[in-house]
Amino acid sequence: MDIKEDKPNAEEINGLDDDLKDEMITLRSKDGKEIEVKKKFAFISQVIKTSLENDSESKVLPIMGVNYDTLEHIVSYMNHHQGSEPPIVDKPLRNKKMSENVKDKWDAPFIDKIGESNRQALYDLILAANYMDIKALLHLGCAKVASLIKGQPLERIKEILDPKNKEKKEEKEAKKSEKA
């Protein structure tokens, strides 16, 4: 008596994610600009995932709380991590160098570049990660801010956390020198 096993063929093995493999979604920023990302990669954001689960036919998703420049950084992050969230940065930070604190070595230069070039861009990224519910990116951004303030004196911490505070201080000093 021959017993033949029923083995599923390759097409039957594929899961639900295979439908998303190369499908693209367009994200529209609050300033009206659009950027494309693979739908599967965008699922790293719980807001996008929930929106698409509620309206699976949607091809354009408005991300009203995020400007285009920040959305570009987020899409870069999504593309690198390909839809799976990396481990959250350990706390407290072991080192001021981000490369010593992250598990995925790509994350360190990514967040360092944003944090060093334009502090406001870093804060915008943190707010956007929170808005879009991307936990690992939110923690990465906060860890970068923590690395910037670690071991700094109070006045320097104030400048780091509020770049406008530095401008106000410079304006006061300029007015004092004018009066003298």
Side-chain angles (χ1 to χ4, degrees), residues 8-21 40:
N9 63 30
E11 288 177 20
E12 292 172 353
I13 294 175
N14 297 334
L16 295 175
D17 282 349
D18 272 5
D19 296 340
L20 304 174
K21 193 183 291 183
K40 181 179 179 181

Side-chain angles (χ1 to χ4, degrees), residues 16-144:
L16 295 175
D17 282 349
D18 272 5
D19 296 340
L20 304 174
K21 193 183 291 183
D22 293 321
E23 191 175 342
M24 301 296 280
I25 185 84
T26 301
L27 306 178
R28 182 179 297 134
S29 65
K30 72 178 177 184
D31 40 358
K33 297 178 184 174
E34 296 181 345
I35 189 167
E36 281 193 331
V37 64
K38 285 186 178 181
K39 194 181 265 192
K40 181 179 179 181
F41 296 174
F43 274 21
I44 200 169
S45 163
Q46 293 305 306
V47 168
I48 291 175
K49 185 176 183 178
T50 302
S51 296
L52 292 174
E53 285 172 350
N54 291 334
D55 182 8
S56 60
E57 300 302 311
S58 184
K59 299 292 180 207
V60 178
L61 266 181
I63 309 294
M64 300 313 294
V66 181
N67 67 35
Y68 181 75
D69 292 338
T70 305
L71 200 53
E72 276 187 313
H73 292 305
I74 290 172
V75 168
S76 175
Y77 184 85
M78 288 174 171
N79 286 334
H80 173 75
H81 290 289
Q82 299 181 349
S84 59
E85 274 203 79
I88 290 175
V89 177
D90 291 333
K91 290 168 239 33
L93 294 182
R94 295 183 300 260
N95 196 309
K96 285 180 72 167
K97 292 181 183 175
M98 288 304 294
S99 60
E100 301 292 323
N101 297 308
V102 295
K103 307 254 186 312
D104 184 329
K105 294 305 175 193
W106 180 89
D107 287 344
F110 167 77
I111 201 69
D112 283 341
K113 182 179 170 193
I114 296 167
E116 301 299 329
S117 63
N118 180 351
R119 200 71 39 75
Q120 190 58 51
L122 175 61
Y123 300 143
D124 290 345
L125 182 71
I126 291 168
L127 292 172
N130 186 51
Y131 176 82
M132 295 176 70
D133 198 4
I134 307 172
K135 286 185 182 22
L137 182 57
L138 173 62
H139 286 268
L140 179 65
C142 290
K144 178 59 184 173

